[in-house]
Amino acid sequence: MSPQAFHDACMALPAATMTVQWGDDHVYKVGGKMFAVAGPGAGKGGYSFKASDLAFEVMTENGMARPAPYLARAKWVWFESLDDHEDAEVADWLKTAHALVAAKLTKAARRDLGLL
């Protein structure tokens, strides 16, 4: 998956927004909460996103990904590159990350964002 495809997949998710933070990191959010990060320079610094408990264990134990710095306890994974991964596979991971974060928003926030 290319940096542009990562951006497109994130922005295709309902109520997704992107801000530039921490220098040049592209931070993707739903309801003001992060679900994915590409940076810096949209890909040169790797990619991180929220994973389910099971996916976190599988991805980090088999060496596919590493626990994300500063966010590992929240079950975030980090990839140096996504070049070797199919777009559909990564888009599915991002959809899951988005859903996990959106599920933690209040019911009112989800309703306001059109997620209910």
Side-chain angles (χ1 to χ4, degrees):
M1 174 174 264
S2 70
Q4 185 62 49
F6 185 89
H7 172 79
D8 293 345
C10 287
M11 295 306 294
L13 297 166
T17 60
M18 190 276 292
T19 60
V20 176
Q21 292 180 218
W22 309 307
D24 198 21
D25 287 349
H26 292 194
V27 180
Y28 298 91
K29 300 179 181 184
V30 58
K33 305 291 184 181
M34 298 188 320
F35 69 90
V37 177
K44 297 180 185 121
Y47 302 86
S48 299
F49 51 85
K50 175 85 170 134
S52 69
D53 291 351
L54 180 60
F56 178 85
E57 295 304 322
V58 169
M59 288 180 181
T60 58
E61 285 180 9
N62 74 12
M64 178 187 294
R66 288 190 245 167
Y70 310 108
L71 293 170
R73 68 187 165 122
K75 306 298 187 207
W76 277 60
V77 292
W78 179 82
F79 289 80
E80 183 174 352
S81 170
L82 292 172
D83 292 343
D84 295 335
H85 297 280
E86 295 292 324
D87 288 5
E89 178 181 39
V90 177
D92 189 51
W93 294 338
L94 294 171
K95 184 178 177 182
T96 298
H98 177 275
L100 289 167
V101 172
K104 298 258 181 176
L105 299 173
T106 66
K107 188 173 183 178
R110 291 194 311 270
R111 184 176 40 254
D112 291 346
L113 292 170
L115 300 174
L116 288 179

